[in-house]
Amino acid sequence: MTVAETIKSKLTREKLHKFVFGTREKQGLGQQLVVYGLLICIGFIYLYPILSMASTSFMNRDDLLDSSVKWLPSTFYLQNYIDAAKSMDFWKTLLKGVVIAGAPTLCNVIICMCVGYGFARYKFKGKNLLMGLLIFAYILPSQVTMIPTYVLYNDMKILGTLWTFVLPAIFGNGLNAPIFILIFYQFFKQVPKVLMEAAYIDGAGHFKAFYKIAIPSAIPAIVTVVLFSFVWYWNESYLTEMYVQGLSTKSIWTNLVIQLKNFDSAFNSKAVVGDTATSLNESVRMAATSLSILPLLLVYLVLQKQFVESIDRAGITGE
């Protein structure tokens, strides 16, 4: 083999290597195929249940019995959603669910932000001990404190009221509050100290520096905490039934997740002979499930950009 042929062969191999594996500045075709293949597979795993639920929710009983109908219903049967909404008392329950999730979330954000700022900006005796207790409180299973907490709320006469969620959040002990404190702690530590020192030189006190400098710079962390806290409170059915409802079916406080758990009995009790809702079928169940997650999907669609940016800047991957 001549020198020219050797050089040509080497250049060809280098071009092929760059085409498949890419360079430091640009991904190659092989890397892109692997990345997009993995993303498509992972996306399919997450989207398949939602797509299947949405498809089934629009099917009538004939489509359910027809084995040839798999994904696309013969007609979009909206009566399933109407029946499900009536059985769940959708609008009233939606409003109550927003209050149950929103009120403690607001308290969580304010208190956890103040605590996280205190840990990040001030030095005091016992700080390391308190940080250790904070981490221990996060890893401690909620089942360990469930019965003592129930007895405490019963003695305080707040069982079956919204205070069972709001009061702990006011004292920085809301649902998953330790991780929110750690989020704010990590974020406030990244704020340059020169900004705070400049505020102090200009005559600002501790509270004004916190209000004018720290809070505006912590918007990504605030968005992250708001969304995670609201979703966790929204999806929390067991503690809501135990504390907020107080194990009483007469309590006015309920949410769509609890209504979904009791949907079968509620639907059958409201079924009318001669109506389309004479018996429960899978399509109505899927319609009720879709209604229960619809508010969260709308929140995510509206705040998708801010949510992704806030997670990226706050360094949180969820769980």
Side-chain angles (χ1 to χ4, degrees):
M1 182 180 294
T2 63
V3 177
E5 291 177 346
T6 303
I7 296 174
K8 184 177 180 181
S9 176
K10 185 177 181 181
L11 291 175
T12 302
R13 288 197 300 268
E14 289 180 356
K15 289 181 179 180
L16 181 62
H17 184 275
K18 290 181 180 179
F19 179 76
V20 176
F21 298 101
T23 61
R24 293 182 179 180
E25 294 80 15
K26 184 180 179 181
Q27 286 185 338
L29 179 63
Q31 288 180 327
Q32 291 181 352
L33 290 176
V34 172
V35 170
Y36 284 107
L38 289 174
L39 290 176
I40 291 173
C41 293
I42 295 173
F44 178 78
I45 293 173
Y46 281 97
L47 290 177
Y48 177 82
I50 298 177
L51 295 177
S52 177
M53 174 187 66
S55 174
T56 306
S57 65
F58 288 105
M59 293 183 181
N60 54 31
R61 295 179 186 176
D62 294 334
D63 291 337
L64 290 176
L65 298 175
D66 189 352
S67 60
S68 63
V69 178
K70 296 295 183 181
W71 285 97
L72 295 178
S74 58
T75 57
F76 285 95
Y77 192 66
L78 298 178
Q79 188 64 36
N80 293 329
Y81 283 89
I82 297 175
D83 295 338
K86 289 181 180 179
S87 300
M88 300 174 72
D89 201 1
F90 179 74
W91 294 111
K92 290 183 179 179
T93 307
L94 174 63
L95 179 61
K96 294 175 182 177
V98 171
V99 174
I100 292 174
T105 293
L106 180 62
C107 298
N108 248 353
V109 173
I110 296 175
I111 301 302
C112 292
M113 181 166 51
C114 294
V115 175
Y117 180 80
F119 275 120
R121 288 299 173 189
Y122 299 106
K123 295 181 180 180
F124 50 89
K125 292 183 178 180
K127 178 179 177 180
N128 293 332
L129 176 62
L130 292 176
M131 285 294 295
L133 291 175
L134 180 68
I135 297 174
F136 177 75
Y138 176 67
I139 64 176
L140 185 69
S142 59
Q143 291 82 359
V144 175
T145 59
M146 190 176 298
I147 300 303
T149 303
Y150 182 87
V151 174
L152 175 63
Y153 290 164
N154 189 45
D155 294 338
M156 295 175 64
K157 308 299 182 183
I158 62 173
L159 201 64
T161 67
L162 193 59
W163 284 107
T164 55
F165 272 179
V166 174
L167 196 61
I170 292 176
F171 289 96
N173 195 32
L175 190 62
N176 293 320
I179 193 173
F180 299 143
I181 295 175
L182 293 175
I183 291 174
F184 283 117
Y185 168 76
Q186 186 63 31
F187 197 90
F188 285 131
K189 280 184 69 68
Q190 298 175 0
V191 177
K193 292 183 179 180
V194 292
L195 293 178
M196 309 303 295
E197 293 173 354
Y200 296 147
I201 293 174
D202 291 339
H206 294 284
F207 178 78
K208 191 172 183 179
F210 172 67
Y211 177 73
K212 293 289 186 178
I213 305 297
I215 293 181
S217 64
I219 297 299
I222 293 174
V223 173
T224 301
V225 172
V226 167
L227 290 175
F228 273 96
S229 181
F230 186 85
V231 169
W232 279 331
Y233 272 109
W234 181 274
N235 290 330
E236 184 55 63
S237 61
Y238 189 78
L239 295 181
T240 302
E241 283 184 308
M242 177 173 287
Y243 298 151
V244 180
Q245 283 192 334
L247 302 180
S248 172
T249 56
K250 297 181 180 180
S251 176
I252 64 171
W253 295 108
T254 186
N255 59 19
L256 290 175
V257 178
I258 295 177
Q259 288 288 72
L260 184 63
K261 290 177 62 177
N262 304 326
F263 179 71
D264 286 16
S265 58
F267 183 89
N268 289 327
S269 65
K270 294 184 179 181
V272 180
V273 177
D275 193 6
T276 57
T278 54
S279 63
L280 185 62
N281 58 49
E282 192 65 24
S283 295
V284 184
R285 284 195 184 96
M286 293 298 102
T289 306
S290 300
L291 290 175
S292 66
I293 67 173
L294 181 62
L296 297 182
L297 291 178
L298 293 177
V299 169
Y300 178 75
L301 290 176
V302 173
L303 301 177
Q304 179 182 7
K305 182 179 179 181
Q306 294 82 352
F307 179 62
V308 174
E309 290 179 354
S310 62
I311 289 179
D312 181 55
R313 292 189 59 185
I316 303 302
T317 59
E319 62 175 39

